[in-house]
């Protein structure tokens, strides 16, 4: 859902989604597909999960993490990402993943993602100016 929100807010920026424990190739949760579609943020029906790897981290200007545990895992495995792995919630709080939740949890997660991604719009836009040679 975060990738869909970011892509809608900054269509010129290449946004990717990956997880620290993801099983690669899995479809998006049906509730995530419904929530994103209802919000007119795109269609996650073709989305497939992927595990974060050195190439993804190395090619990223910024790695936004929903939880501190995700950021810590990335930094343990990829210390070179120290300056780029940041929490999505600028207040340092976690954004709960609704994987096994009811529809309300998915809606709440989407609202949090929209709020915090909106806070990142200017910093991300500045990165695209400062580092134009990086992959987006």
């Amino acid at each position: 859902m975060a990738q869909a929100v970011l892509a809608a807010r900054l269509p010129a920026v290449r946004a990717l989604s990956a997880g620290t424990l993801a099983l690669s190739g899995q479809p998006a949760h049906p509730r995530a597909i419904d929530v994103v579609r209802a919000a007119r943020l795109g269609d996650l029906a073709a989305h497939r999960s992927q595990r974060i790897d050195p190439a993804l981290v190395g090619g990223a200007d910024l790695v936004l993490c929903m939880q501190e545990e995700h950021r810590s895992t990335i930094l343990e495995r990829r210390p070179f990402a120290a300056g780029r792995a940041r929490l999505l919630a600028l207040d340092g709080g976690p954004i709960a993943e609704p994987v096994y939740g009811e529809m309300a949890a998915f809606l709440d997660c989407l609202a949090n993602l929209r709020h915090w991604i909106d806070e990142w719009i200017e910093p991300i836009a500045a990165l695209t100016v400062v580092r134009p040679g990086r992959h987006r």
Side-chain angles (χ1 to χ4, degrees), residues 21-40:
L21 297 174
L23 296 173
S24 293
Q26 298 300 305
H29 192 287
R31 289 186 182 117
I33 294 170
D34 291 345
V35 166
V36 167
R37 187 177 292 141
R40 299 179 189 260

Side-chain angles (χ1 to χ4, degrees), residues 110-128:
L110 181 62
N112 281 319
L113 291 171
R114 284 178 142 172
H115 170 77
W116 290 115
I117 287 171
D118 282 350
E119 295 294 318
W120 275 100
I121 295 297
E122 287 184 30
I124 291 171
L127 280 174
T128 64

Side-chain angles (χ1 to χ4, degrees), residues 60-62 84 126-136:
D61 290 321
L62 185 63
R84 292 178 273 151
L127 280 174
T128 64
V129 172
V130 174
R131 302 176 71 180
R134 300 290 293 200
H135 296 282
R136 297 205 211 311

Side-chain angles (χ1 to χ4, degrees), residues 15-109:
L16 300 175
S17 174
T20 57
L21 297 174
L23 296 173
S24 293
Q26 298 300 305
H29 192 287
R31 289 186 182 117
I33 294 170
D34 291 345
V35 166
V36 167
R37 187 177 292 141
R40 299 179 189 260
L41 294 171
D43 187 358
L44 295 182
H47 174 80
R48 295 296 177 261
S49 62
Q50 64 180 332
R51 187 174 291 226
I52 197 159
D53 65 27
L56 286 174
V57 175
D61 290 321
L62 185 63
V63 179
L64 293 174
C65 305
M66 290 176 60
Q67 300 175 13
E68 178 57 37
E69 294 82 15
H70 302 156
R71 193 180 80 79
S72 295
T73 298
I74 290 167
L75 295 178
E76 286 170 13
R77 296 177 187 168
R78 321 278 187 282
F80 63 86
R84 292 178 273 151
R86 307 282 299 278
L87 287 174
L88 177 56
L90 294 173
D91 68 356
I95 298 174
E97 295 186 79
V99 177
Y100 301 108
E102 297 299 321
M103 183 60 82
F106 282 82
L107 292 167
D108 187 53
C109 181

